């Protein structure tokens, strides 16, 4: 199994949105028996909570399943459990690199690094901007590119 973890700040907006969208793309590609996905936040404010209502609304708008989404905090063990850890922004990447005290060799990337044509490098946090539509579009494009990358890299 290939394990993919999406990480944002609080795990109620961007990373659960990415988890749900990516899971749907994996299922549509018939790869649900090869790729597992999850999400976490760098902060602990929302542990155990469902995603933000804006995230739930945009997922419903595009008919993306959201039932399994519950916030948790990223922990150092995740760095050795997951094959790909995908951050939403540079701040998340910084936190993940600081968390990696054991120097675990894991694929750490920002989601939009997979979208070569993207002018935006960080997925903005809709908790602060309120723009869930823009974030959905960026994450959807990033997840498509990430899945293509993983399929190519892993030969699946």
């Amino acid at each position: 199994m290939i394990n993919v973890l999406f990480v944002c700040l609080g795990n109620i907006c961007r990373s659960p949105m990415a988890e749900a969208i990516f899971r749907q793309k994996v299922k549509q590609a018939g790869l649900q028996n090869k790729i597992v996905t999850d999400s976490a936040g760098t902060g602990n404010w929302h542990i155990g909570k469902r995603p933000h209502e804006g995230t739930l609304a945009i997922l419903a708008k595009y008919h993306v399943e959201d039932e399994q989404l519950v916030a948790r905090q990223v922990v150092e063990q995740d760095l050795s459990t997951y094959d790909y850890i995908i951050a939403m922004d540079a701040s998340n990447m910084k936190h993940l690199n600081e968390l990696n005290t054991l120097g675990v060799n894991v694929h750490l990337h920002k989601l939009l690094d997979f979208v070569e044509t993207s002018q935006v490098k960080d997925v903005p946090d809709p908790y602060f901007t309120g723009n869930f539509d823009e974030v959905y579009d960026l994450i959807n494009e990033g997840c498509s590119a990430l899945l293509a990358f993983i399929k190519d890299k892993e030969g699946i």
Side-chain angles (χ1 to χ4, degrees), residues 13-14 17 21 52-62 123-127 129-141:
C13 293
R14 297 171 293 172
M17 188 185 300
I21 292 168
H52 186 281
E53 61 269 4
T55 296
L56 293 174
I58 199 79
L59 291 174
K61 177 180 175 181
Y62 291 101
V123 177
D125 192 341
Y127 186 84
T129 69
N131 195 341
F132 287 87
D133 289 300
E134 173 194 23
V135 169
Y136 177 89
D137 291 341
L138 290 169
I139 289 175
N140 188 46
E141 185 176 12

Side-chain angles (χ1 to χ4, degrees), residues 27-110:
K27 186 175 181 180
Q28 289 170 343
L31 297 171
Q32 64 271 27
N33 294 325
K34 295 184 186 279
I35 301 174
V36 175
T37 186
D38 194 7
S39 65
T42 59
N44 64 0
W45 312 281
H46 306 290
I47 293 173
K49 295 182 182 172
R50 295 275 294 140
H52 186 281
E53 61 269 4
T55 296
L56 293 174
I58 199 79
L59 291 174
K61 177 180 175 181
Y62 291 101
H63 309 288
V64 178
E65 171 65 44
D66 67 29
E67 287 183 18
Q68 300 175 17
L69 304 175
V70 178
R72 72 176 186 87
Q73 187 174 18
V74 68
V75 294
E76 188 172 17
Q77 182 181 349
D78 289 331
L79 297 167
S80 57
T81 302
Y82 291 89
D83 303 298
Y84 296 88
I85 300 181
I86 310 299
M88 297 296 119
D89 63 32
S91 176
N92 306 145
M93 280 293 287
K94 181 177 185 282
H95 181 91
L96 290 166
N97 283 315
E98 289 170 355
L99 189 63
N100 192 5
T101 61
L102 301 176
V104 175
N105 187 16
V106 61
H107 296 283
L108 282 174
H109 303 277
K110 288 193 304 179

Side-chain angles (χ1 to χ4, degrees), residues 16-27:
M17 188 185 300
E19 175 188 353
I21 292 168
F22 191 73
R23 183 179 289 125
Q24 179 173 307
K25 290 180 182 300
V26 165
K27 186 175 181 180

Side-chain angles (χ1 to χ4, degrees), residues 2 20 51 57 85 119 124 146:
I2 299 163
I85 300 181
Q119 299 299 311
L146 172 62

